[in-house]
Amino acid sequence: MSLNKELEKRRTFGIISHPDAGKTTLTEKLLLFGGAIQVAGAVKSNKIKRHATSDFMEIERQRGISVATSVMAFDYRGKRINILDTPGHQDFAEDTYRTLTAVDSAIVVIDVAKGVEEQTEKLVNVCKDRNTPMIVFINKLDREGLDGIDLLDELEEKLGMTVCPLSWPIGMGQRLKGVYNIFERKLVLFRPHGKGEEEEAIVIENIEDEELDKQVGENAAEELRGEIEIINTVYPKFDLDAYRSGKLQPVFFGSAINNFGVKELLDCFVQISPPPLPRPTTVRTVEPEEEAFTGFVFKIHANMDPRHRDRIAFLRVCSGVFERNTNYHHVRLNRSLKFSNPTAFMAEKKSVVDRAFPGDIIGLYDSGNFKIGDTLTSGEELTFTGIPSFSPEQFRYVVNQDPMKTKQLDKGLDQLMDEGVAQLFTKMDNNRKIIGTVGALQFEVIQYRLEHEYGAKCGYEPISLHKACWVKSKDKTALEEFRKRRKNNLALDKKGQLVFLAESQWALQRVQEAHPEIEFFFKSEM
Ligand code: G4P
């Protein structure tokens, strides 16, 4: 099959949600539809439960699961669908942000009773920054929840979305009768506990049709007609270009656990979601149909067993065809590398692949050559952009507790940072190292891994910091002045970029006011 045909088939997306909204359940139902799994319960949640913060066996077990479910591919209606798993635990949010750089679209799951939650907001903002097309799935309709219109208001107000409902609930909780599929003008009646079989859909072209009254009762039918009228007047009509450019977000309603409304979502998704999109690099935009292969690493998963310190680098193919046993150019190292066992992921199975196409994710066994963000090409000197680090939220000084093992500590820290476990800053006034993370869990993971994989002992000392901001200025004299005056609060990140360590929101504001020529950024790519 030609590159263009393969490309046209690919749909690579991520499901994002606040923990417990139903991401794992929805993923599983999608895989059931695709025939990639046969029974419910096959997809394990990659949630690291709260009690597990000091239980490293649990973390390791979860990490094992998360590698198995990092990418789940299945075929549906002539499309090859790649679902990229995003960690649910908020301490791993940074991992999720990076995974979102490798998708072409996203499905946002929202709990009907809880509405928009904190983590939903953060993740949707990351998608919005990249104009990623999003479809919203409002889940748990079998429970009492917020009113449909109120939920749409919340999506608009809290997430800044322009929503376009493509299905609409008829009742909710105990009174749930079904959903009306506005996209295909079909009525789908609610039958709990479907297991992947086709739902019974009744075509109702015109909602004035009496068939609707027969199916759901007069009251529910009238209510639906009233609501559809509001929808038709208040919300924009579906527009493919607006959706694909991230300006319009279709909304579906359903109940993942009951496999209800999921098929409508999937059928619409395969029709409207974008095939692999062009991607920016340091020199030009790479189009997926270009013949020369390019791709980038967005995730690195290390084996925690010290006897096998191999890692899997997850690479997204951006253009051309990736082939096994072929030499590719590792741009940052300026080296040629070839891979004898590139791995593809089909639901629970891993297998060696000979060829991979744009949109595909492959796992490359790595002995330390890769960092997150690395680019591989057929020879061209370019680097994919848009894989930033975000300001950490928690900071601690690193203390070397075994001076005989300084080298091991440095090497371990270096490698863990390459994997994106946390960020390392070196203070400019005293050269002390500071680790910054999104959540407290990583500090324990780092300590444990340094000891078990590198034989180094690391402790921490508290440091009270609010944010790390990357800084730059066009005005060289002002930057020099800033460097001198703020020496005690400056550090370098791993790439040698200048970072201002703000002690509080107030302190940051004060410094910003005192140095108007300096620009402050909350992410490393400016
Ligand atoms: P997550 O990956 O987004 O964190 O959510 P997950 O799918 O694990 O779902 C969280 C909880 O919500 C699970 O219950 C799941 O069964 C439930 N759930 C998912 N979809 C629906 C739905 O449509 N309706 C209702 N009523 N519940 C739903 P749990 O009790 O936390 O876990 P479990 O013991 O069922 O696995």
Side-chain angles (χ1 to χ4, degrees):
M1 206 187 281
S2 72
L3 172 60
N4 273 349
K5 278 206 181 128
E6 289 286 356
L7 223 170
E8 186 37 50
K9 272 174 62 176
R10 297 302 193 272
R11 294 292 181 276
T12 302
F13 78 105
I15 304 183
I16 55 180
S17 73
H18 190 88
D20 280 341
K23 182 169 68 71
T24 313
T25 313
L26 179 65
T27 307
E28 182 165 289
K29 301 299 169 182
L30 294 175
L31 292 174
L32 280 169
F33 273 116
I37 55 170
Q38 268 66 48
V39 286
V43 179
K44 302 285 181 301
S45 167
N46 70 1
K47 270 182 283 181
I48 294 176
K49 305 264 194 249
R50 276 149 218 91
H51 67 259
T53 43
S54 53
D55 181 349
F56 292 102
M57 286 321 287
E58 178 64 11
I59 293 176
E60 184 156 12
R61 197 182 67 77
Q62 296 285 358
R63 283 170 44 85
I65 292 168
S66 84
V67 83
T69 59
S70 283
V71 189
M72 288 158 281
F74 66 96
D75 293 323
Y76 184 75
R77 298 203 158 177
K79 299 279 189 291
R80 162 61 55 91
I81 298 172
N82 295 312
I83 308 183
L84 271 56
D85 192 29
T86 52
H89 196 292
Q90 68 167 27
D91 283 10
F92 292 88
E94 185 86 21
D95 219 13
T96 300
Y97 300 157
R98 284 189 299 252
T99 298
L100 291 175
T101 65
V103 304
D104 297 304
S105 70
I107 291 182
V108 185
V109 184
I110 287 178
D111 182 326
V112 71
K114 296 196 175 138
V116 172
E117 295 173 88
E118 194 190 334
Q119 198 67 2
T120 335
E121 229 170 308
K122 282 192 187 160
L123 296 171
V124 165
N125 281 336
V126 174
C127 289
K128 274 174 49 195
D129 274 355
R130 308 173 54 81
N131 298 321
T132 306
M134 288 179 268
I135 299 181
V136 178
F137 181 71
I138 301 200
N139 189 30
K140 307 198 184 180
L141 224 57
D142 58 317
R143 288 199 184 153
E144 288 303 327
L146 307 172
D147 169 74
I149 303 274
D150 289 347
L151 273 165
L152 297 185
D153 283 349
E154 216 176 289
L155 296 177
E156 291 187 325
E157 278 162 27
K158 287 197 180 160
L159 302 177
M161 288 182 166
T162 303
V163 292
C164 162
L166 291 185
S167 84
W168 196 254
I170 307 168
M172 203 179 273
Q174 298 273 323
R175 297 167 294 108
L176 177 65
K177 294 229 158 64
V179 287
Y180 183 65
N181 182 345
I182 304 173
F183 188 60
E184 293 190 333
R185 295 181 181 277
K186 282 179 186 161
L187 171 70
V188 186
L189 296 175
F190 177 57
R191 306 227 190 290
H193 301 299
K195 295 235 164 32
E197 71 269 24
E198 301 264 315
E199 283 158 14
E200 199 181 325
I202 303 155
V203 178
I204 296 186
E205 280 290 334
N206 180 349
I207 55 160
E208 296 306 327
D209 195 329
E210 275 183 15
E211 183 62 24
L212 182 65
D213 302 73
K214 272 195 215 150
Q215 293 292 343
V216 300
E218 272 174 38
N219 289 346
E222 270 317 299
E223 203 180 323
L224 177 69
R225 288 184 186 115
E227 285 173 336
I228 298 278
E229 195 180 318
I230 299 176
I231 291 166
N232 287 339
T233 36
V234 175
Y235 298 101
K237 292 253 168 310
F238 176 69
D239 178 299
L240 187 65
D241 289 339
Y243 155 68
R244 284 196 175 175
S245 53
K247 296 195 180 81
L248 181 79
Q249 287 79 26
V251 180
F252 283 83
F253 288 82
S255 165
I257 198 119
N258 291 299
N259 201 13
F260 174 68
V262 176
K263 186 168 179 294
E264 286 62 44
L265 172 74
L266 181 59
D267 284 346
C268 176
F269 173 83
V270 292
Q271 285 184 59
I272 68 170
S273 64
L277 298 172
R279 292 196 129 66
T281 74
T282 42
V283 279
R284 63 187 187 85
T285 298
V286 168
E287 302 290 333
E289 47 281 317
E290 290 177 23
E291 269 181 28
F293 158 79
T294 61
F296 69 89
V297 171
F298 63 94
K299 174 177 176 133
I300 293 176
H301 190 98
N303 190 338
M304 282 166 76
D305 181 345
R307 284 161 301 173
H308 306 278
R309 205 185 289 154
D310 55 341
R311 321 197 274 186
I312 301 178
F314 288 82
L315 177 125
R316 150 134 190 165
V317 180
C318 297
S319 69
V321 185
F322 173 93
E323 298 193 72
R324 186 154 86 102
N325 283 326
T326 302
N327 278 309
Y328 290 116
H329 178 53
H330 186 310
V331 178
R332 180 178 54 83
L333 297 181
N334 191 21
R335 263 184 67 187
S336 179
L337 293 177
K338 78 176 165 194
F339 305 91
S340 50
N341 293 310
T343 306
F345 306 85
M346 283 294 277
E348 307 133 281
K349 294 189 269 312
K350 279 200 284 181
S351 59
V352 171
V353 274
D354 291 320
R355 309 174 84 205
F357 298 91
D360 284 343
I361 310 297
I362 45 176
L364 303 175
Y365 287 96
D366 169 44
S367 51
N369 288 317
F370 285 118
K371 282 186 191 189
I372 283 172
D374 277 348
T375 298
L376 282 185
T377 70
S378 299
E380 195 174 345
E381 297 294 332
L382 51 79
T383 302
F384 285 95
T385 55
I387 309 149
S389 300
F390 291 84
S391 173
E393 323 231 314
Q394 309 211 17
F395 301 84
R396 289 184 201 169
Y397 275 125
V398 178
V399 182
N400 183 359
Q401 290 184 327
D402 183 353
M404 303 294 286
K405 299 278 172 66
T406 305
K407 266 197 188 143
Q408 285 87 333
L409 180 74
D410 288 348
K411 176 155 196 245
L413 278 175
D414 198 51
Q415 292 206 343
L416 294 184
M417 299 307 131
D418 286 352
E419 276 175 40
V421 177
Q423 294 180 60
L424 191 70
F425 303 99
T426 309
K427 274 201 85 193
M428 291 185 77
D429 56 349
N430 57 14
N431 270 329
R432 287 196 73 181
K433 291 193 165 88
I434 296 173
I435 287 181
T437 69
V438 177
L441 190 53
Q442 274 100 333
F443 288 110
E444 295 176 52
V445 173
I446 291 168
Q447 215 168 22
Y448 177 87
R449 290 191 56 189
L450 283 171
E451 186 168 345
H452 289 83
E453 293 170 45
Y454 300 90
K457 267 198 174 357
C458 128
Y460 299 113
E461 260 175 32
I463 173 168
S464 170
L465 289 177
H466 163 66
K467 281 269 152 74
C469 307
W470 284 265
V471 288
K472 71 171 184 186
S473 176
K474 287 194 187 89
D475 184 336
K476 283 206 171 113
T477 329
L479 194 59
E480 217 26 65
E481 168 74 13
F482 179 73
R483 275 173 176 268
K484 264 194 218 139
R485 275 185 58 197
R486 305 294 165 186
K487 197 171 74 209
N488 296 345
N489 292 83
L490 289 177
L492 296 178
D493 73 2
K494 254 201 96 195
K495 288 187 185 160
Q497 300 188 104
L498 192 63
V499 174
F500 176 73
L501 303 171
E503 280 149 7
S504 64
Q505 176 63 33
W506 178 79
L508 176 62
Q509 224 169 325
R510 227 179 29 137
V511 171
Q512 279 175 314
E513 281 161 15
H515 299 271
E517 311 81 5
I518 307 287
E519 292 179 86
F520 294 75
F521 300 87
F522 291 106
K523 55 184 180 183
S524 66
E525 228 170 49
M526 303 165 267

